Amino acid sequence: MERKIPQATAKRLPLYYRFLNNLQHQGKSRVSSKELSLAVKVDSATIRRDFSYFGALGKKGYGYNVEYLLGFFRKTLNQDELTNVAIIGVGNLGTAFLHYNFLKNNNTKIVMAFDADPKKVGQDVEGVPIYPIDNLEEKLKDVRVAILTIPASEAQGVTERLVKAGIEGILNFTPARISVPNYVRVHHIDLAIELQSLVYFMNHYPLPDKEEI
Amino acid sequence: MERKIPQATAKRLPLYYRFLNNLQHQGKSRVSSKELSLAVKVDSATIRRDFSYFGALGKKGYGYNVEYLLGFFRKTLNQDELTNVAIIGVGNLGTAFLHYNFLKNNNTKIVMAFDADPKKVGQDVEGVPIYPIDNLEEKLKDVRVAILTIPASEAQGVTERLVKAGIEGILNFTPARISVPNYVRVHHIDLAIELQSLVYFMNHYPLPDKEEI
DNA sequence: ATCCTTTTGTGAAAAGAATCACGACTTCTA
DNA sequence: TAGAAGTCGTGATTCTTTTCACAAAAGGAT
Ligand SMILES: NC(=O)c1ccc[n+]([C@@H]2O[C@H](COP(=O)([O-])OP(=O)(O)OC[C@H]3O[C@@H](n4cnc5c(N)ncnc54)[C@H](O)[C@@H]3O)[C@@H](O)[C@H]2O)c1
Ligand SMILES: NC(=O)c1ccc[n+]([C@@H]2O[C@H](COP(=O)([O-])OP(=O)(O)OC[C@H]3O[C@@H](n4cnc5c(N)ncnc54)[C@H](O)[C@@H]3O)[C@@H](O)[C@H]2O)c1
């Protein structure tokens, strides 16, 4: 595994990939770092640098070939392999995710969900079955990633069961900072904090005055 | 406005604030950077550095006084002023947010929502009225922040209307990278990319082998 | 009182990321 | 074919963030 790609770069790859996909659907066959920059709002030098970690993907004076680049990223991002995902907690957020089709230009698929509430268990949403949380260990096969959308108070306990059941990655939407062994990867998405920090930035980092539109 | 606080620090402030609140509810009156570190999973030196941008808030050999620190952050984060928020697009995600009470230890309140669908308009969810998007400019008063949960294709157009209507901050959940004038602040939360990048990290940055639990 | 322990606050170093700026190469035009 | 225009890839620079490591202060124990 190539160990040298900076994390900041890695986080932008899916963004590039998505935009390249759009370009291809529009029938465009070439693109420059400048155009890309405009669309994804990342400095063009940063884009060139990002790409350069993977070698020389472009051509001077021309730009990048969309199809080639796309093919390259498809491999790099494992777009040909489907990663199965489970939703833990079918409440407000969990249900929203179930209704949303993450599959659109994406390599992940929600294949099952779990809940503690007997009223929710047994149903299926968009073809995805909802199992009782008690059956977690038994049902979780071929699933590497879990999306955690349960109350914060349950987060740590359920996480430990997920880890025992073999989960390797968790997208955690609860405000709890969960502890996991070091072979499991957790990404936190803390919506309340995002909102709060947006407000903080608005109040404390005033941007230039209104003038243009 | 104190212009020197690093952005990385600013993003962690709400996290600290929330945890300090918990501590206070538990009746704890003192806390060290080490304890905090354990709970919020941020290196203790980073925490001390973060706090130090605001002056000397702690006492050597003792730690920090919870109540004092909390009071300090309350002011810094404007927790006494309520920021009104509007939801744009009452679909899967928008509805989930409406049902969720962002107010719990938070200074933001969703006060209205908008949708283009006549079937949704006129209802209210948890006491929050849903207005037709056509009335955006007329209804949006005393609202500085919008949460954007509409289809990506609508994002840029609606954003321009939001800006004209005086919105200063947007939490954008659509995959579209919207353009705004430089006096408006946008934070992107791109759930599909978060998921994709989690999978990328799992595949390319293998963590140490299983051994402990 | 004295000594030991704890813990802060911060210079200094290291690590990580973004940006500048330009040589080299390619394409395009005529 | 020659010259102009466009664009990449990357060394060097700058900026940002994290981490180390320790003197200084305070608390606690005896
Ligand atoms: N909805 C939002 O807008 C929002 C915003 C910010 C943060 N969050 C966080 O996301 C999480 C989920 O929020 P929500 O609004 O969807 O909550 P919710 O209460 O609507 O849903 C939680 C679901 O988890 C289930 N559950 C409870 N304990 C469980 C367990 N041990 N095992 C399995 N399932 C269990 C419940 O039955 C329920 O269906 C919470 O931690 C919340 O703090 C939500
Ligand atoms: N639901 C998810 O889990 C999820 C995950 C990732 C990204 N997203 C993104 O979040 C956004 C919302 O997703 P969703 O699942 O809630 O979609 P949705 O289709 O359920 O809801 C969109 C809502 O916006 C309304 N709308 C459409 N055009 C509008 C306009 N011009 N003005 C006002 N309202 C309008 C629709 O009537 C609908 O109620 C989308 O951009 C989607 O890509 C959603």
Side-chain angles (χ1 to χ4, degrees):
Chain A
M1 313 252 177
E2 335 79 352
R3 205 33 161 88
K4 56 212 161 309
I5 282 98
Q7 300 224 355
T9 296
K11 280 206 193 152
R12 284 186 292 263
L13 297 182
L15 188 60
Y16 298 144
Y17 180 71
R18 183 162 67 200
F19 186 68
L20 289 169
N21 243 317
N22 291 351
L23 281 185
Q24 198 183 42
H25 281 123
Q26 287 163 33
K28 290 206 57 164
S29 71
R30 80 182 250 195
V31 67
S32 70
S33 62
K34 214 165 151 196
E35 287 174 84
L36 262 162
S37 170
L38 227 58
V40 299
K41 310 264 195 277
V42 171
D43 185 275
S44 70
T46 301
I47 293 179
R48 291 200 299 281
R49 173 82 60 198
D50 282 349
F51 288 0
S52 79
Y53 292 115
F54 299 99
L57 302 177
K59 232 189 253 182
K60 304 188 177 189
Y62 174 88
Y64 300 90
N65 178 294
V66 172
E67 192 162 330
Y68 177 75
L69 207 51
L70 201 55
F72 186 85
F73 279 124
R74 197 191 336 275
K75 272 177 274 151
T76 304
L77 289 172
N78 261 46
Q79 291 296 308
D80 300 322
E81 250 175 69
L82 212 56
T83 302
N84 291 329
V85 177
I87 299 265
I88 319 295
V90 188
N92 296 313
L93 269 189
T95 306
F97 296 155
L98 281 171
H99 283 121
Y100 185 73
N101 188 358
F102 272 110
L103 261 178
K104 271 179 285 183
N105 69 13
N106 207 330
N107 58 338
T108 53
K109 186 179 182 188
I110 298 171
V111 293
M112 61 183 78
F114 294 89
D115 205 289
D117 184 345
K119 286 194 291 293
K120 302 200 169 163
V121 158
Q123 304 173 32
D124 72 47
V125 178
E126 309 271 333
V128 177
I130 304 179
Y131 300 124
I133 188 75
D134 302 316
N135 298 3
L136 188 71
E137 290 80 359
E138 163 202 337
K139 293 288 184 184
L140 264 191
K141 303 285 176 209
D142 302 317
V143 178
R144 299 175 61 207
V145 176
I147 297 182
L148 205 58
T149 47
I150 57 181
S153 55
E154 302 288 319
Q156 186 59 45
V158 171
T159 296
E160 281 159 23
R161 292 181 59 192
L162 287 170
V163 169
K164 286 217 184 81
I167 286 289
E168 297 163 51
I170 297 177
L171 201 54
N172 176 23
F173 284 88
T174 79
R177 300 324 245 201
I178 56 183
S179 298
V180 294
N182 59 7
Y183 54 85
V184 174
R185 191 167 279 274
V186 177
H187 284 201
H188 286 275
I189 302 187
D190 199 318
L191 302 176
I193 281 189
E194 296 289 346
L195 193 52
Q196 224 170 333
S197 104
L198 173 65
V199 172
Y200 179 84
F201 279 109
M202 286 169 49
N203 289 331
H204 291 78
Y205 294 74
L207 296 166
D209 273 337
K210 279 197 195 203
E211 52 221 14
E212 77 205 278
I213 294 214
Chain B
M1 315 251 175
E2 338 77 351
R3 207 28 163 90
K4 57 211 161 307
I5 282 100
Q7 300 225 355
T9 296
K11 280 205 192 154
R12 284 186 292 263
L13 297 183
L15 188 60
Y16 298 145
Y17 180 71
R18 184 160 66 200
F19 186 68
L20 289 169
N21 244 318
N22 292 352
L23 281 185
Q24 198 183 41
H25 281 124
Q26 286 162 33
K28 290 206 59 164
S29 71
R30 81 183 249 194
V31 67
S32 70
S33 62
K34 213 165 152 196
E35 286 174 84
L36 260 163
S37 169
L38 228 58
V40 300
K41 310 264 194 277
V42 171
D43 185 274
S44 70
T46 302
I47 293 179
R48 291 199 300 281
R49 172 83 59 199
D50 283 348
F51 288 1
S52 79
Y53 292 115
F54 300 98
L57 303 177
K59 232 188 254 180
K60 304 189 178 188
Y62 174 88
Y64 300 89
N65 178 295
V66 172
E67 191 161 331
Y68 177 75
L69 208 51
L70 201 54
F72 186 85
F73 279 125
R74 194 186 344 270
K75 273 176 275 153
T76 304
L77 290 172
N78 261 44
Q79 291 296 307
D80 300 322
E81 248 175 70
L82 211 57
T83 301
N84 291 329
V85 177
I87 298 265
I88 319 294
V90 188
N92 295 313
L93 269 189
T95 307
F97 295 156
L98 281 172
H99 282 121
Y100 185 74
N101 187 357
F102 272 111
L103 261 178
K104 271 180 285 184
N105 70 13
N106 207 328
N107 58 338
T108 53
K109 186 179 180 187
I110 298 171
V111 293
M112 60 182 78
F114 294 89
D115 205 289
D117 184 344
K119 287 194 291 293
K120 301 198 171 166
V121 159
Q123 303 173 32
D124 72 48
V125 179
E126 309 271 334
V128 177
I130 304 179
Y131 299 125
I133 188 75
D134 302 315
N135 299 2
L136 188 70
E137 290 79 0
E138 163 202 338
K139 293 289 184 184
L140 263 191
K141 303 287 175 208
D142 301 317
V143 178
R144 299 175 61 207
V145 176
I147 298 182
L148 206 57
T149 48
I150 56 180
S153 54
E154 303 287 322
Q156 186 59 45
V158 171
T159 295
E160 281 158 25
R161 292 182 60 192
L162 288 171
V163 170
K164 286 217 185 82
I167 286 289
E168 297 163 51
I170 297 177
L171 201 56
N172 176 24
F173 283 89
T174 79
R177 300 324 245 202
I178 55 183
S179 298
V180 293
N182 60 7
Y183 54 86
V184 174
R185 192 167 278 273
V186 178
H187 284 201
H188 286 274
I189 302 186
D190 198 319
L191 301 175
I193 281 190
E194 296 290 344
L195 193 53
Q196 224 171 334
S197 106
L198 173 66
V199 172
Y200 179 83
F201 279 109
M202 286 169 49
N203 290 331
H204 291 77
Y205 294 73
L207 297 166
D209 274 336
K210 278 198 195 202
E211 51 220 16
E212 77 205 277
I213 297 212

